[in-house]
Amino acid sequence: MDAFSSSFLSTLTPSTKLRSPVITTTLRSTSPSPYYAPLPYISSVRIEEKPPTSTTTTKTSHPPPPQSPKAWPPPAPSYASPSVGAKKRVEPRLSTMIFNTFDDIINNFIDPPLRPSVDPKHVLSHNFAPVDELPPTPCDVIQGSLPPCLDGAYIRNGPNPQFLPRGPYHLFDGDGMLHSIRISKGKATLCSRYVKTYKYSIENQMGSPVFPNVFSGFNGLTAAATRGALSAVRILSGEFNPANGIGLANTSLALFGNRLYALGESDLPYSIRLTSKGDIQTLGRIDFDGKLFMSMTAHPKIDDDTGEAFAFRYGPVPPYLTYFHFDANGNKQPDVPIFSMTRPSFLHDFAITKKYAIFADIQIGMNPMDMIIGGGSPVGTDPAKVPRIGIIPRYAKDESETRWFDVPGFNLIHAINAWDEDDGNAIVLLAPNILSVEHTLERMDLVHALVEKVRIDLRTGLVTRHPISARNLDFAVLNPAYVAKKNKYVYAAVGDPMPKIAGVVKLDVSKGERQECTVGSRMYGPGCFGGEPFFVAKEPQNPEADEDDGYVVSYVHNENTGESRFLVMDAQSPNLDIVAAVKLPRRVPYGFHGLFVRESDLNKL
């Protein structure tokens, strides 16, 4: 997700000569469901053969025609199934065996995964454990019925490592996998497919990890030097070419210009499509006719009124922030470098209004001295830094009108929404403020996200703030038609603790400063956890419809039974009543961000 640091998914030993990992687990208890594989600890790894694949890098704003389904690799054995027999062994290249030996030395003696935040036995336990691809598989509706407005597909992205890491591994480092539930006339079909990135395809061919990871490897000068040197040798030997992208496409999805993209902020977008039977195909890595360089945020903002998409990229060298947008046809417009961002910052998300784009310069950024002196990650926190909010005109040609406002203690990772007030002389921003920001990458369970409403008077420079709710809330969404406009309702995930989601609440952000803003709530129950909610309007084309007239959807997993479900909740009811529940044919791991795409939009892809 972050473009600043890199490491390796740890390796296979020289004697490992099989492909496509399968984890054999030792369990503390027996799950009643064959789809759930808790991993209190990992006892062995088996790698099985998979046929090679390739990924298209396309220098065009229009992806090439999809390949035949026969061109895509068949499903590999499930990570959760220790009973799958080994296939024909394939001898890896000699150079790969040698590099993997050096990687083992680094992982075992120089930088072993000692901290829980990068220990794969901890990070990939329980429903964070990866699963294999699943072809389109029918699902049973076990409660209620699926509303007609849900005809289309809910797709959720998330990390799902292709190979089991043996060295340091962070939750954010997994290969992107899309879990799509395709709905048509009250029936549902689940499909899970990897985004066939350049990284995924090369490693799939070689049968082992070769690319640098993002968050888990450069912890300390020695680890950074050794892993960096090994990565350089791999590149020089021709194992991979970083110019073709090193990203994971594991964070989110976006639909604009009649194209659907899987996104991760360390690379270009990957175009995807869904077949009529519900399968997912990766069409290629897209650079928009050579106009998009290096990377793009995983959180572009789509203006429902205009069809435009607004985005940015950030990096460790000037300009640390570059803003741009796409017109309604998906054509990229010129870059606007923002040099008033004077040092690199972790810019995961932003917001737009009808007049402005809003960026947060927070206390997380490049911290190389902490890596050199303290043995930490080069991406860290700076407690002495005063966070700022930057505002630039939405259609700016340059950064000349950019203004920055100090907002002490305000650290934004995810933005919810923003809008203009007072004839454009003020803006309001809704976002969770990450308290104890120093724990964001290392101990997410210690993070508390306090949703705040921030108002900036552009005439006086006065910044006022007040909390919306005291609960630990993040992954908040709204009716997509209200992006960049004043909204009333927000649907937020309840951390218990993060990154597990124990329920969803509905907030009325129009209430006063001292009023309780929670107007709806559903907790999933003991041992049940979900993900980011998503709002789907009943009548998206009806301008008279109530803002909250629709449904909240999410995947939810029961850790007691091993069963995963797709829940549809009534957004207007105080208890977010369940109107439909779909039993999924196997578990869906916890992940990141999702998107609902209507049938009419799927037909245009």
mmCIF file of all heavy atoms in Angstrom, residues 33-36 78 131-142 179-182 188-192 555-557 561-566 582-588:
data_model
loop_
_atom_site.group_PDB
_atom_site.id
_atom_site.type_symbol
_atom_site.label_atom_id
_atom_site.label_comp_id
_atom_site.label_asym_id
_atom_site.label_seq_id
_atom_site.Cartn_x
_atom_site.Cartn_y
_atom_site.Cartn_z
ATOM 1 N N SER A 33 -16.688 -26.637 10.606
ATOM 2 C CA SER A 33 -16.801 -26.312 9.190
ATOM 3 C C SER A 33 -15.517 -26.632 8.458
ATOM 4 O O SER A 33 -14.430 -26.315 8.922
ATOM 5 C CB SER A 33 -17.107 -24.820 9.009
ATOM 6 O OG SER A 33 -16.954 -24.469 7.659
ATOM 7 N N PRO A 34 -15.584 -27.274 7.297
ATOM 8 C CA PRO A 34 -14.360 -27.574 6.534
ATOM 9 C C PRO A 34 -13.766 -26.357 5.867
ATOM 10 O O PRO A 34 -12.709 -26.430 5.280
ATOM 11 C CB PRO A 34 -14.867 -28.568 5.473
ATOM 12 C CG PRO A 34 -16.305 -28.200 5.271
ATOM 13 C CD PRO A 34 -16.790 -27.758 6.635
ATOM 14 N N TYR A 35 -14.454 -25.208 5.931
ATOM 15 C CA TYR A 35 -13.967 -24.012 5.232
ATOM 16 C C TYR A 35 -13.142 -23.118 6.133
ATOM 17 O O TYR A 35 -12.670 -22.096 5.703
ATOM 18 C CB TYR A 35 -15.151 -23.224 4.673
ATOM 19 C CG TYR A 35 -16.033 -24.058 3.802
ATOM 20 C CD1 TYR A 35 -17.348 -24.318 4.157
ATOM 21 C CD2 TYR A 35 -15.537 -24.614 2.634
ATOM 22 C CE1 TYR A 35 -18.160 -25.107 3.343
ATOM 23 C CE2 TYR A 35 -16.341 -25.392 1.826
ATOM 24 C CZ TYR A 35 -17.648 -25.637 2.188
ATOM 25 O OH TYR A 35 -18.440 -26.397 1.405
ATOM 26 N N TYR A 36 -12.983 -23.471 7.390
ATOM 27 C CA TYR A 36 -12.297 -22.584 8.316
ATOM 28 C C TYR A 36 -11.048 -23.252 8.821
ATOM 29 O O TYR A 36 -11.100 -24.379 9.296
ATOM 30 C CB TYR A 36 -13.215 -22.257 9.491
ATOM 31 C CG TYR A 36 -12.584 -21.367 10.526
ATOM 32 C CD1 TYR A 36 -11.990 -20.170 10.148
ATOM 33 C CD2 TYR A 36 -12.566 -21.730 11.855
ATOM 34 C CE1 TYR A 36 -11.424 -19.346 11.084
ATOM 35 C CE2 TYR A 36 -12.005 -20.909 12.800
ATOM 36 C CZ TYR A 36 -11.429 -19.718 12.410
ATOM 37 O OH TYR A 36 -10.859 -18.901 13.353
ATOM 38 N N SER A 78 -6.392 -25.391 -1.839
ATOM 39 C CA SER A 78 -6.727 -24.445 -0.776
ATOM 40 C C SER A 78 -5.636 -24.392 0.274
ATOM 41 O O SER A 78 -5.081 -25.405 0.670
ATOM 42 C CB SER A 78 -8.046 -24.846 -0.123
ATOM 43 O OG SER A 78 -8.269 -24.082 1.027
ATOM 44 N N VAL A 131 -6.704 -17.881 1.529
ATOM 45 C CA VAL A 131 -7.484 -18.935 0.885
ATOM 46 C C VAL A 131 -7.074 -19.021 -0.568
ATOM 47 O O VAL A 131 -6.416 -18.129 -1.103
ATOM 48 C CB VAL A 131 -9.004 -18.661 0.978
ATOM 49 C CG1 VAL A 131 -9.470 -18.682 2.413
ATOM 50 C CG2 VAL A 131 -9.356 -17.329 0.305
ATOM 51 N N ASP A 132 -7.488 -20.103 -1.206
ATOM 52 C CA ASP A 132 -7.189 -20.287 -2.616
ATOM 53 C C ASP A 132 -8.252 -19.610 -3.468
ATOM 54 O O ASP A 132 -9.306 -19.199 -2.970
ATOM 55 C CB ASP A 132 -7.146 -21.780 -2.930
ATOM 56 C CG ASP A 132 -6.786 -22.061 -4.375
ATOM 57 O OD1 ASP A 132 -5.866 -21.395 -4.881
ATOM 58 O OD2 ASP A 132 -7.432 -22.919 -4.999
ATOM 59 N N GLU A 133 -7.985 -19.489 -4.762
ATOM 60 C CA GLU A 133 -8.996 -18.996 -5.679
ATOM 61 C C GLU A 133 -10.222 -19.918 -5.674
ATOM 62 O O GLU A 133 -10.103 -21.134 -5.483
ATOM 63 C CB GLU A 133 -8.431 -18.905 -7.095
ATOM 64 C CG GLU A 133 -7.390 -17.808 -7.268
ATOM 65 C CD GLU A 133 -7.044 -17.581 -8.727
ATOM 66 O OE1 GLU A 133 -6.886 -18.590 -9.456
ATOM 67 O OE2 GLU A 133 -6.940 -16.418 -9.151
ATOM 68 N N LEU A 134 -11.380 -19.323 -5.909
ATOM 69 C CA LEU A 134 -12.632 -20.064 -5.982
ATOM 70 C C LEU A 134 -13.339 -19.682 -7.270
ATOM 71 O O LEU A 134 -13.640 -18.507 -7.483
ATOM 72 C CB LEU A 134 -13.522 -19.733 -4.777
ATOM 73 C CG LEU A 134 -14.882 -20.421 -4.729
ATOM 74 C CD1 LEU A 134 -14.715 -21.884 -4.302
ATOM 75 C CD2 LEU A 134 -15.828 -19.702 -3.773
ATOM 76 N N PRO A 135 -13.612 -20.631 -8.158
ATOM 77 C CA PRO A 135 -14.379 -20.295 -9.356
ATOM 78 C C PRO A 135 -15.810 -19.945 -8.979
ATOM 79 O O PRO A 135 -16.235 -20.189 -7.843
ATOM 80 C CB PRO A 135 -14.304 -21.586 -10.182
ATOM 81 C CG PRO A 135 -14.081 -22.670 -9.179
ATOM 82 C CD PRO A 135 -13.266 -22.062 -8.091
ATOM 83 N N PRO A 136 -16.579 -19.361 -9.893
ATOM 84 C CA PRO A 136 -17.959 -19.004 -9.562
ATOM 85 C C PRO A 136 -18.722 -20.193 -8.981
ATOM 86 O O PRO A 136 -18.821 -21.251 -9.619
ATOM 87 C CB PRO A 136 -18.530 -18.555 -10.907
ATOM 88 C CG PRO A 136 -17.336 -18.069 -11.676
ATOM 89 C CD PRO A 136 -16.218 -18.966 -11.263
ATOM 90 N N THR A 137 -19.241 -19.993 -7.762
ATOM 91 C CA THR A 137 -19.890 -21.070 -7.017
ATOM 92 C C THR A 137 -21.221 -20.583 -6.473
ATOM 93 O O THR A 137 -21.262 -19.553 -5.790
ATOM 94 C CB THR A 137 -18.991 -21.542 -5.862
ATOM 95 O OG1 THR A 137 -17.708 -21.923 -6.386
ATOM 96 C CG2 THR A 137 -19.612 -22.718 -5.128
ATOM 97 N N PRO A 138 -22.329 -21.292 -6.731
ATOM 98 C CA PRO A 138 -23.638 -20.850 -6.229
ATOM 99 C C PRO A 138 -23.673 -20.806 -4.709
ATOM 100 O O PRO A 138 -23.010 -21.589 -4.022
ATOM 101 C CB PRO A 138 -24.594 -21.911 -6.784
ATOM 102 C CG PRO A 138 -23.878 -22.528 -7.936
ATOM 103 C CD PRO A 138 -22.418 -22.486 -7.573
ATOM 104 N N CYS A 139 -24.441 -19.864 -4.180
ATOM 105 C CA CYS A 139 -24.604 -19.687 -2.744
ATOM 106 C C CYS A 139 -26.083 -19.860 -2.381
ATOM 107 O O CYS A 139 -26.974 -19.680 -3.215
ATOM 108 C CB CYS A 139 -24.147 -18.294 -2.303
ATOM 109 S SG CYS A 139 -22.501 -17.822 -2.866
ATOM 110 N N ASP A 140 -26.330 -20.180 -1.116
ATOM 111 C CA ASP A 140 -27.692 -20.338 -0.622
ATOM 112 C C ASP A 140 -28.129 -19.095 0.136
ATOM 113 O O ASP A 140 -27.414 -18.623 1.030
ATOM 114 C CB ASP A 140 -27.790 -21.549 0.307
ATOM 115 C CG ASP A 140 -27.548 -22.864 -0.424
ATOM 116 O OD1 ASP A 140 -27.917 -22.940 -1.614
ATOM 117 O OD2 ASP A 140 -26.977 -23.797 0.182
ATOM 118 N N VAL A 141 -29.304 -18.564 -0.217
ATOM 119 C CA VAL A 141 -29.917 -17.493 0.559
ATOM 120 C C VAL A 141 -30.651 -18.161 1.716
ATOM 121 O O VAL A 141 -31.646 -18.857 1.504
ATOM 122 C CB VAL A 141 -30.885 -16.658 -0.298
ATOM 123 C CG1 VAL A 141 -31.510 -15.547 0.536
ATOM 124 C CG2 VAL A 141 -30.160 -16.067 -1.506
ATOM 125 N N ILE A 142 -30.153 -17.983 2.937
ATOM 126 C CA ILE A 142 -30.688 -18.722 4.085
ATOM 127 C C ILE A 142 -31.605 -17.874 4.957
ATOM 128 O O ILE A 142 -32.189 -18.380 5.903
ATOM 129 C CB ILE A 142 -29.541 -19.290 4.943
ATOM 130 C CG1 ILE A 142 -28.639 -18.167 5.454
ATOM 131 C CG2 ILE A 142 -28.739 -20.317 4.164
ATOM 132 C CD1 ILE A 142 -27.575 -18.640 6.432
ATOM 133 N N HIS A 179 -12.966 -10.789 -3.795
ATOM 134 C CA HIS A 179 -14.048 -11.699 -3.443
ATOM 135 C C HIS A 179 -15.344 -11.046 -3.918
ATOM 136 O O HIS A 179 -15.780 -10.024 -3.387
ATOM 137 C CB HIS A 179 -14.091 -11.934 -1.934
ATOM 138 C CG HIS A 179 -12.813 -12.466 -1.377
ATOM 139 N ND1 HIS A 179 -12.503 -13.812 -1.361
ATOM 140 C CD2 HIS A 179 -11.745 -11.833 -0.829
ATOM 141 C CE1 HIS A 179 -11.311 -13.991 -0.821
ATOM 142 N NE2 HIS A 179 -10.832 -12.800 -0.496
ATOM 143 N N SER A 180 -15.966 -11.637 -4.937
ATOM 144 C CA SER A 180 -17.135 -11.037 -5.579
ATOM 145 C C SER A 180 -18.361 -11.916 -5.376
ATOM 146 O O SER A 180 -18.315 -13.128 -5.632
ATOM 147 C CB SER A 180 -16.873 -10.865 -7.082
ATOM 148 O OG SER A 180 -18.063 -10.521 -7.767
ATOM 149 N N ILE A 181 -19.450 -11.306 -4.909
ATOM 150 C CA ILE A 181 -20.724 -12.007 -4.866
ATOM 151 C C ILE A 181 -21.616 -11.379 -5.938
ATOM 152 O O ILE A 181 -22.006 -10.221 -5.853
ATOM 153 C CB ILE A 181 -21.364 -11.980 -3.462
ATOM 154 C CG1 ILE A 181 -22.651 -12.811 -3.458
ATOM 155 C CG2 ILE A 181 -21.580 -10.581 -2.927
ATOM 156 C CD1 ILE A 181 -23.124 -13.186 -2.062
ATOM 157 N N ARG A 182 -21.866 -12.162 -6.975
ATOM 158 C CA ARG A 182 -22.666 -11.707 -8.116
ATOM 159 C C ARG A 182 -24.130 -12.063 -7.842
ATOM 160 O O ARG A 182 -24.452 -13.223 -7.539
ATOM 161 C CB ARG A 182 -22.179 -12.376 -9.398
ATOM 162 C CG ARG A 182 -22.918 -11.951 -10.682
ATOM 163 C CD ARG A 182 -22.506 -10.558 -11.081
ATOM 164 N NE ARG A 182 -23.185 -10.123 -12.310
ATOM 165 C CZ ARG A 182 -22.664 -10.198 -13.530
ATOM 166 N NH1 ARG A 182 -21.443 -10.699 -13.701
ATOM 167 N NH2 ARG A 182 -23.324 -9.765 -14.574
ATOM 168 N N ALA A 188 -27.393 -15.793 -5.851
ATOM 169 C CA ALA A 188 -26.043 -15.267 -5.596
ATOM 170 C C ALA A 188 -24.978 -16.286 -5.978
ATOM 171 O O ALA A 188 -25.168 -17.504 -5.807
ATOM 172 C CB ALA A 188 -25.893 -14.886 -4.129
ATOM 173 N N THR A 189 -23.852 -15.782 -6.477
ATOM 174 C CA THR A 189 -22.702 -16.602 -6.852
ATOM 175 C C THR A 189 -21.440 -15.957 -6.306
ATOM 176 O O THR A 189 -21.213 -14.764 -6.510
ATOM 177 C CB THR A 189 -22.596 -16.715 -8.388
ATOM 178 O OG1 THR A 189 -23.788 -17.301 -8.906
ATOM 179 C CG2 THR A 189 -21.400 -17.567 -8.785
ATOM 180 N N LEU A 190 -20.622 -16.723 -5.610
ATOM 181 C CA LEU A 190 -19.364 -16.211 -5.043
ATOM 182 C C LEU A 190 -18.195 -16.626 -5.920
ATOM 183 O O LEU A 190 -18.126 -17.767 -6.388
ATOM 184 C CB LEU A 190 -19.152 -16.741 -3.624
ATOM 185 C CG LEU A 190 -17.870 -16.262 -2.930
ATOM 186 C CD1 LEU A 190 -17.973 -14.782 -2.568
ATOM 187 C CD2 LEU A 190 -17.574 -17.095 -1.681
ATOM 188 N N CYS A 191 -17.262 -15.706 -6.120
ATOM 189 C CA CYS A 191 -16.025 -15.991 -6.851
ATOM 190 C C CYS A 191 -14.878 -15.265 -6.173
ATOM 191 O O CYS A 191 -15.023 -14.106 -5.781
ATOM 192 C CB CYS A 191 -16.149 -15.545 -8.303
ATOM 193 S SG CYS A 191 -14.661 -15.829 -9.303
ATOM 194 N N SER A 192 -13.750 -15.939 -6.018
ATOM 195 C CA SER A 192 -12.547 -15.330 -5.439
ATOM 196 C C SER A 192 -11.389 -15.529 -6.413
ATOM 197 O O SER A 192 -11.072 -16.673 -6.764
ATOM 198 C CB SER A 192 -12.207 -15.960 -4.087
ATOM 199 O OG SER A 192 -13.260 -15.789 -3.168
ATOM 200 N N TYR A 555 -19.491 -8.602 4.216
ATOM 201 C CA TYR A 555 -19.160 -9.985 4.549
ATOM 202 C C TYR A 555 -18.954 -10.078 6.056
ATOM 203 O O TYR A 555 -18.324 -9.206 6.667
ATOM 204 C CB TYR A 555 -17.876 -10.432 3.848
ATOM 205 C CG TYR A 555 -17.975 -10.571 2.353
ATOM 206 C CD1 TYR A 555 -17.029 -9.987 1.521
ATOM 207 C CD2 TYR A 555 -18.997 -11.305 1.766
ATOM 208 C CE1 TYR A 555 -17.096 -10.120 0.147
ATOM 209 C CE2 TYR A 555 -19.079 -11.446 0.387
ATOM 210 C CZ TYR A 555 -18.128 -10.848 -0.421
ATOM 211 O OH TYR A 555 -18.203 -10.976 -1.785
ATOM 212 N N VAL A 556 -19.452 -11.163 6.657
ATOM 213 C CA VAL A 556 -19.280 -11.395 8.090
ATOM 214 C C VAL A 556 -18.859 -12.838 8.292
ATOM 215 O O VAL A 556 -19.419 -13.756 7.666
ATOM 216 C CB VAL A 556 -20.585 -11.101 8.866
ATOM 217 C CG1 VAL A 556 -20.415 -11.454 10.344
ATOM 218 C CG2 VAL A 556 -20.973 -9.637 8.724
ATOM 219 N N HIS A 557 -17.871 -13.046 9.176
ATOM 220 C CA HIS A 557 -17.354 -14.390 9.438
ATOM 221 C C HIS A 557 -17.590 -14.770 10.890
ATOM 222 O O HIS A 557 -17.360 -13.972 11.803
ATOM 223 C CB HIS A 557 -15.855 -14.459 9.126
ATOM 224 C CG HIS A 557 -15.268 -15.820 9.342
ATOM 225 N ND1 HIS A 557 -15.499 -16.871 8.484
ATOM 226 C CD2 HIS A 557 -14.470 -16.313 10.335
ATOM 227 C CE1 HIS A 557 -14.866 -17.945 8.925
ATOM 228 N NE2 HIS A 557 -14.235 -17.634 10.045
ATOM 229 N N THR A 561 -18.008 -21.070 14.246
ATOM 230 C CA THR A 561 -18.467 -22.128 13.351
ATOM 231 C C THR A 561 -17.647 -22.239 12.073
ATOM 232 O O THR A 561 -17.754 -23.230 11.355
ATOM 233 C CB THR A 561 -19.937 -21.883 12.950
ATOM 234 O OG1 THR A 561 -20.025 -20.675 12.173
ATOM 235 C CG2 THR A 561 -20.822 -21.745 14.191
ATOM 236 N N GLY A 562 -16.851 -21.214 11.778
ATOM 237 C CA GLY A 562 -16.081 -21.211 10.541
ATOM 238 C C GLY A 562 -16.879 -20.809 9.325
ATOM 239 O O GLY A 562 -16.404 -20.937 8.201
ATOM 240 N N GLU A 563 -18.097 -20.296 9.523
ATOM 241 C CA GLU A 563 -18.971 -19.961 8.394
ATOM 242 C C GLU A 563 -18.900 -18.476 8.062
ATOM 243 O O GLU A 563 -18.879 -17.642 8.951
ATOM 244 C CB GLU A 563 -20.411 -20.343 8.749
ATOM 245 C CG GLU A 563 -21.416 -20.064 7.658
ATOM 246 C CD GLU A 563 -22.826 -20.425 8.088
ATOM 247 O OE1 GLU A 563 -23.146 -21.633 8.105
ATOM 248 O OE2 GLU A 563 -23.599 -19.506 8.441
ATOM 249 N N SER A 564 -18.880 -18.157 6.787
ATOM 250 C CA SER A 564 -18.944 -16.773 6.332
ATOM 251 C C SER A 564 -20.291 -16.523 5.662
ATOM 252 O O SER A 564 -20.836 -17.409 5.000
ATOM 253 C CB SER A 564 -17.810 -16.454 5.346
ATOM 254 O OG SER A 564 -16.557 -16.446 5.984
ATOM 255 N N ARG A 565 -20.803 -15.308 5.842
ATOM 256 C CA ARG A 565 -22.079 -14.926 5.235
ATOM 257 C C ARG A 565 -21.952 -13.538 4.603
ATOM 258 O O ARG A 565 -21.091 -12.750 4.979
ATOM 259 C CB ARG A 565 -23.202 -14.905 6.280
ATOM 260 C CG ARG A 565 -23.519 -16.261 6.880
ATOM 261 C CD ARG A 565 -24.714 -16.187 7.811
ATOM 262 N NE ARG A 565 -25.021 -17.491 8.383
ATOM 263 C CZ ARG A 565 -26.078 -17.747 9.147
ATOM 264 N NH1 ARG A 565 -26.937 -16.770 9.439
ATOM 265 N NH2 ARG A 565 -26.290 -18.964 9.616
ATOM 266 N N PHE A 566 -22.839 -13.288 3.680
ATOM 267 C CA PHE A 566 -23.034 -11.961 3.107
ATOM 268 C C PHE A 566 -24.331 -11.430 3.688
ATOM 269 O O PHE A 566 -25.389 -12.033 3.516
ATOM 270 C CB PHE A 566 -23.100 -12.045 1.585
ATOM 271 C CG PHE A 566 -23.454 -10.760 0.905
ATOM 272 C CD1 PHE A 566 -22.554 -9.704 0.865
ATOM 273 C CD2 PHE A 566 -24.684 -10.591 0.281
ATOM 274 C CE1 PHE A 566 -22.872 -8.519 0.226
ATOM 275 C CE2 PHE A 566 -25.019 -9.408 -0.366
ATOM 276 C CZ PHE A 566 -24.103 -8.375 -0.386
ATOM 277 N N VAL A 582 -26.812 -14.523 3.067
ATOM 278 C CA VAL A 582 -26.373 -15.521 2.095
ATOM 279 C C VAL A 582 -25.250 -16.331 2.730
ATOM 280 O O VAL A 582 -24.238 -15.772 3.159
ATOM 281 C CB VAL A 582 -25.878 -14.864 0.796
ATOM 282 C CG1 VAL A 582 -25.398 -15.922 -0.190
ATOM 283 C CG2 VAL A 582 -26.978 -14.012 0.170
ATOM 284 N N LYS A 583 -25.437 -17.629 2.808
ATOM 285 C CA LYS A 583 -24.371 -18.500 3.304
ATOM 286 C C LYS A 583 -23.366 -18.721 2.186
ATOM 287 O O LYS A 583 -23.723 -19.163 1.088
ATOM 288 C CB LYS A 583 -24.942 -19.838 3.772
ATOM 289 C CG LYS A 583 -23.886 -20.782 4.343
ATOM 290 C CD LYS A 583 -24.509 -22.089 4.820
ATOM 291 C CE LYS A 583 -23.448 -23.033 5.372
ATOM 292 N NZ LYS A 583 -24.045 -24.317 5.837
ATOM 293 N N LEU A 584 -22.114 -18.419 2.439
ATOM 294 C CA LEU A 584 -21.073 -18.529 1.420
ATOM 295 C C LEU A 584 -20.493 -19.934 1.412
ATOM 296 O O LEU A 584 -20.401 -20.588 2.458
ATOM 297 C CB LEU A 584 -19.992 -17.479 1.668
ATOM 298 C CG LEU A 584 -20.515 -16.032 1.715
ATOM 299 C CD1 LEU A 584 -19.374 -15.065 1.963
ATOM 300 C CD2 LEU A 584 -21.243 -15.668 0.426
ATOM 301 N N PRO A 585 -20.082 -20.434 0.262
ATOM 302 C CA PRO A 585 -19.611 -21.817 0.163
ATOM 303 C C PRO A 585 -18.289 -22.075 0.865
ATOM 304 O O PRO A 585 -17.922 -23.227 1.068
ATOM 305 C CB PRO A 585 -19.489 -22.046 -1.346
ATOM 306 C CG PRO A 585 -19.370 -20.682 -1.937
ATOM 307 C CD PRO A 585 -20.158 -19.780 -1.054
ATOM 308 N N ARG A 586 -17.580 -21.025 1.211
ATOM 309 C CA ARG A 586 -16.379 -21.171 2.029
ATOM 310 C C ARG A 586 -16.087 -19.814 2.660
ATOM 311 O O ARG A 586 -16.675 -18.798 2.296
ATOM 312 C CB ARG A 586 -15.196 -21.682 1.204
ATOM 313 C CG ARG A 586 -14.678 -20.710 0.159
ATOM 314 C CD ARG A 586 -13.217 -20.400 0.445
ATOM 315 N NE ARG A 586 -12.729 -19.399 -0.478
ATOM 316 C CZ ARG A 586 -11.860 -19.669 -1.457
ATOM 317 N NH1 ARG A 586 -11.427 -20.890 -1.657
ATOM 318 N NH2 ARG A 586 -11.439 -18.694 -2.230
ATOM 319 N N ARG A 587 -15.169 -19.775 3.608
ATOM 320 C CA ARG A 587 -14.913 -18.545 4.334
ATOM 321 C C ARG A 587 -14.275 -17.489 3.434
ATOM 322 O O ARG A 587 -13.543 -17.795 2.498
ATOM 323 C CB ARG A 587 -14.016 -18.812 5.552
ATOM 324 C CG ARG A 587 -12.589 -19.190 5.223
ATOM 325 C CD ARG A 587 -11.780 -19.447 6.500
ATOM 326 N NE ARG A 587 -10.425 -19.845 6.155
ATOM 327 C CZ ARG A 587 -9.421 -18.998 5.998
ATOM 328 N NH1 ARG A 587 -9.630 -17.703 6.128
ATOM 329 N NH2 ARG A 587 -8.211 -19.435 5.702
ATOM 330 N N VAL A 588 -14.576 -16.236 3.748
ATOM 331 C CA VAL A 588 -13.954 -15.093 3.095
ATOM 332 C C VAL A 588 -13.068 -14.410 4.135
ATOM 333 O O VAL A 588 -13.562 -13.951 5.168
ATOM 334 C CB VAL A 588 -15.007 -14.101 2.559
ATOM 335 C CG1 VAL A 588 -14.342 -12.832 2.046
ATOM 336 C CG2 VAL A 588 -15.826 -14.754 1.456
#
